[in-house]
Amino acid sequence: MFIEKLEQAIKNEYADYHHYMDMYKLTDDPYWQEFIEHVYEDEKSHYEMFQQLYYMLTGSFVQNLQKVSPCEDLKSCVKQSVKDELETAEVYKEMLLQIPIQQAYAPLFCAMHDETEHAIRFSMMYNAL
């Protein structure tokens, strides 16, 4: 069960990274661009950490990753991102309780914390747009 959740997390982090890069292009406000850049850099880091963990557990990497449809309306994408980030933090919390090896703790804890921070950033952004 943990491996399947980790595989899905890798796919989601990859898709989120590209989704937030698309969101970045929808604003020319440097303040919001900085928020979004921070988030997509975190997502890239989560993707890399989770791929490494997956390799440690299985001896292979997750392949056939897909991007999601590009973001077209900043405010609606930010609103959806708040929900998605909170749900993801919840998944990572559940996964923390199932870790099969100690090396899984740090990447999951960091990602869970970052996802919560992302929800806060996007909430602030949504309320200001």
Side-chain angles (χ1 to χ4, degrees), residues 11-12 69 72 103 113:
K11 291 176 181 179
N12 292 345
S69 301
E72 294 181 15
Q103 293 89 333
H113 178 274

Side-chain angles (χ1 to χ4, degrees), residues 7-20:
E7 181 177 349
Q8 188 59 53
I10 291 166
K11 291 176 181 179
N12 292 345
E13 294 290 345
Y14 179 86
D16 288 349
Y17 168 74
H18 290 283
H19 178 71
Y20 295 142

Side-chain angles (χ1 to χ4, degrees), residues 12-68:
N12 292 345
E13 294 290 345
Y14 179 86
D16 288 349
Y17 168 74
H18 290 283
H19 178 71
Y20 295 142
M21 286 185 67
D22 288 337
M23 258 172 69
Y24 179 92
K25 297 171 189 170
L26 293 178
T27 182
D28 56 1
D29 184 323
Y31 188 74
W32 298 133
Q33 285 180 330
E34 184 180 329
F35 266 43
I36 298 167
E37 182 178 17
H38 178 92
V39 171
Y40 75 65
E41 289 296 332
D42 281 351
E43 301 296 353
K44 180 181 177 187
S45 174
H46 302 162
Y47 164 77
E48 291 168 350
M49 289 188 302
F50 290 170
Q51 278 281 31
Q52 186 61 37
L53 179 58
Y54 189 87
Y55 185 82
M56 288 171 62
L57 294 168
T58 67
S60 64
F61 293 104
V62 176
Q63 304 291 321
N64 302 321
L65 301 166
Q66 298 179 3
K67 299 176 186 175
V68 294

Side-chain angles (χ1 to χ4, degrees), residues 37-116:
E37 182 178 17
H38 178 92
V39 171
Y40 75 65
E41 289 296 332
D42 281 351
E43 301 296 353
K44 180 181 177 187
S45 174
H46 302 162
Y47 164 77
E48 291 168 350
M49 289 188 302
F50 290 170
Q51 278 281 31
Q52 186 61 37
L53 179 58
Y54 189 87
Y55 185 82
M56 288 171 62
L57 294 168
T58 67
S60 64
F61 293 104
V62 176
Q63 304 291 321
N64 302 321
L65 301 166
Q66 298 179 3
K67 299 176 186 175
V68 294
S69 301
C71 186
E72 294 181 15
D73 175 64
L74 184 61
K75 187 159 184 163
S76 64
C77 289
V78 168
K79 181 180 181 181
Q80 184 62 45
S81 295
V82 172
K83 181 180 183 291
D84 293 346
E85 295 289 324
L86 289 171
E87 288 174 355
T88 301
E90 195 67 26
V91 169
Y92 295 164
K93 180 180 79 174
E94 292 169 9
M95 289 175 70
L96 271 171
L97 300 173
Q98 303 170 348
I99 58 172
I101 58 172
Q102 189 60 36
Q103 293 89 333
Y105 183 83
L108 279 167
F109 182 82
C110 290
M112 180 185 70
H113 178 274
D114 289 345
E115 300 296 330
T116 304

